[in-house]
Amino acid sequence: MLKRHHEEAREIMESVKLKNQENVKKDFLPPKVKGFRLIKTIKHPMFGNTAFLMQYKGNLFTFFRTSFLKANGTLDGVNFDSQFGRRKWNNQPLGYEIIPERYVESVRRNGGFLASTYLLSEDTKTGILLSKKGKMPTTNQMYDELLVPCRNFAIKESMFDSELQYGACYDTIGEWLIETGTITEEEWCKNSTSLGNYYNSKKSYREVCPNGYRKEWMLGGVIDNLAGNVSEWTQEQDGTTVTRRIIRGGCHINNGNSKGSEVSSRNSMPISMLSCTTGERLVIFLK
């Protein structure tokens, strides 16, 4: 009897938890966007459809559904009441980031956003950015060299905008990975060694590896090389200074259990710096 009482109480708590989260729908459908083709649907026993792998001109993107996540993110650095937003991990201070309202509204209206499944590479003939398996992530680019190409990815499109990823996108993906049970908070915040290409990872590549090199480094089957390999530029500023930006994720020369190298880590880098261990990822907001 007592066991059944506990089970019923747990079911009630889970029900309340779901009802308190906005737009929790197991039948959540993939967005219909001209040029994008649905490749795979990621289902969760509690939340239903939580992500969609989608192809656009041969590039792979992941639509991360945000409308079932806990509202513990921040858009202004002060109020932590948003499903889409930055999170404080390991009590690290946040930088400064302002996301255009149209992008915030896009996430609310569409229930999520898209991110390049792979780290960006570049077509050497056209200069067009790519998100493809087997390609080497592009490194040694200054921050300002990335903004325009990322925005130009969608320059001829009427249904979406593209940007170099924001810190809010990075942390929301982290929250998605934790809440779906893909990884643990311990792995995200303390010891990320098993999640990617770190120096001390099992079967470490010990240098920058190509996209899709190991299946287990494609976390949840939805995001590749988020941990280790190369760190990632974001648009989050280091404080209010405009000359430094926050990079995320650690890289292959770091140990995944070292402070400041775990996948959740925030590190500051000058926007004029060229780094062979820093790459980038593209995000897309639907109109």
Side-chain angles (χ1 to χ4, degrees), residues 5 52 185 224 233 259 278:
H5 173 75
F52 306 100
E185 190 166 346
D224 184 63
W233 283 107
K259 187 176 181 180
T278 303

Side-chain angles (χ1 to χ4, degrees), residues 127 129 142-155 162-164 235 282:
L129 299 176
M142 292 184 289
Y143 176 82
D144 289 339
E145 293 179 317
L146 302 171
L147 288 178
V148 173
C150 285
R151 289 169 181 167
N152 284 348
F153 186 84
I155 195 169
S162 56
E163 291 276 357
L164 177 67
Q235 293 200 49
L282 187 74

Side-chain angles (χ1 to χ4, degrees), residues 84-98:
F84 170 67
R86 289 177 294 157
R87 272 80 173 172
K88 270 190 176 182
W89 311 105
N90 296 333
N91 292 317
Q92 284 185 309
L94 297 178
Y96 178 79
E97 183 172 81
I98 296 296

Side-chain angles (χ1 to χ4, degrees), residues 50 64-70 72-75 82-89 97 99 107 111-113 115 165-180 188 226 248 266 283 285:
T50 57
F64 286 95
R65 182 182 163 209
T66 60
S67 54
F68 70 94
L69 298 178
K70 296 175 183 176
N72 59 359
T74 182
L75 292 169
S82 177
Q83 293 168 311
F84 170 67
R86 289 177 294 157
R87 272 80 173 172
K88 270 190 176 182
W89 311 105
E97 183 172 81
I99 301 177
V107 175
F113 63 95
Q165 75 173 329
Y166 289 95
C169 298
Y170 190 95
D171 281 340
T172 300
I173 292 172
E175 187 69 25
W176 186 99
L177 290 168
I178 293 169
E179 289 197 39
T180 58
W188 179 258
L226 191 71
R248 309 295 299 272
R266 281 179 162 85
V283 292
F285 299 99

Side-chain angles (χ1 to χ4, degrees), residues 25-276:
K25 298 178 182 178
K26 289 195 173 184
D27 59 348
F28 188 91
L29 299 176
K32 293 183 179 180
V33 188
K34 183 179 178 181
F36 279 85
R37 180 167 63 91
L38 179 64
I39 301 298
K40 185 178 180 180
T41 297
I42 307 300
K43 295 178 180 282
H44 188 276
M46 180 180 292
F47 304 120
N49 299 337
T50 57
F52 306 100
L53 292 178
M54 307 184 77
Q55 193 175 71
Y56 172 80
K57 295 183 178 180
N59 298 288
L60 197 61
F61 288 87
T62 302
F63 180 88
F64 286 95
R65 182 182 163 209
T66 60
S67 54
F68 70 94
L69 298 178
K70 296 175 183 176
N72 59 359
T74 182
L75 292 169
D76 59 10
V78 177
N79 301 292
F80 290 79
D81 56 3
S82 177
Q83 293 168 311
F84 170 67
R86 289 177 294 157
R87 272 80 173 172
K88 270 190 176 182
W89 311 105
N90 296 333
N91 292 317
Q92 284 185 309
L94 297 178
Y96 178 79
E97 183 172 81
I98 296 296
I99 301 177
E101 181 57 34
R102 69 182 186 278
Y103 293 159
V104 176
E105 179 55 32
S106 168
V107 175
R108 289 173 181 158
R109 185 176 62 254
N110 295 289
F113 63 95
L114 290 131
S116 58
T117 311
Y118 298 106
L119 290 164
L120 295 181
S121 55
E122 187 178 66
D123 187 309
T124 55
K125 294 181 180 179
T126 64
I128 294 175
L129 299 176
L130 305 172
S131 172
K132 293 185 177 183
K133 183 178 180 178
K135 298 291 185 180
M136 290 298 294
T138 298
T139 58
N140 280 318
Q141 287 189 302
M142 292 184 289
Y143 176 82
D144 289 339
E145 293 179 317
L146 302 171
L147 288 178
V148 173
C150 285
R151 289 169 181 167
N152 284 348
F153 186 84
I155 195 169
K156 296 181 180 179
E157 302 296 338
S158 60
M159 297 184 68
F160 61 89
D161 291 316
S162 56
E163 291 276 357
L164 177 67
Q165 75 173 329
Y166 289 95
C169 298
Y170 190 95
D171 281 340
T172 300
I173 292 172
E175 187 69 25
W176 186 99
L177 290 168
I178 293 169
E179 289 197 39
T180 58
T182 303
I183 65 173
T184 66
E185 190 166 346
E186 174 77 12
E187 289 174 316
W188 179 258
C189 293
K190 301 295 183 181
N191 186 355
S192 305
T193 303
S194 64
L195 303 183
N197 181 28
Y198 288 100
Y199 192 81
N200 65 328
S201 297
K202 183 178 180 181
K203 297 181 181 179
S204 171
Y205 199 69
R206 296 288 172 91
E207 57 182 297
V208 179
C209 70
N211 291 329
Y213 179 71
R214 291 201 182 282
K215 184 178 180 180
E216 59 266 34
W217 295 344
M218 172 81 90
L219 301 181
V222 296
I223 192 82
D224 184 63
N225 278 330
L226 191 71
N229 204 32
V230 298
S231 55
E232 304 179 22
W233 283 107
T234 72
Q235 293 200 49
E236 183 177 359
Q237 294 177 194
D238 180 7
T240 57
T241 179
V242 297
T243 59
R244 301 182 73 91
R245 289 296 189 278
I246 301 298
I247 59 173
R248 309 295 299 272
C251 65
H252 69 276
I253 63 174
N254 304 138
N255 287 334
N257 57 355
S258 297
K259 187 176 181 180
S261 299
E262 60 276 3
V263 64
S264 65
S265 62
R266 281 179 162 85
N267 292 293
S268 176
M269 193 159 83
I271 61 174
S272 59
M273 183 173 177
L274 296 172
S275 171
C276 63

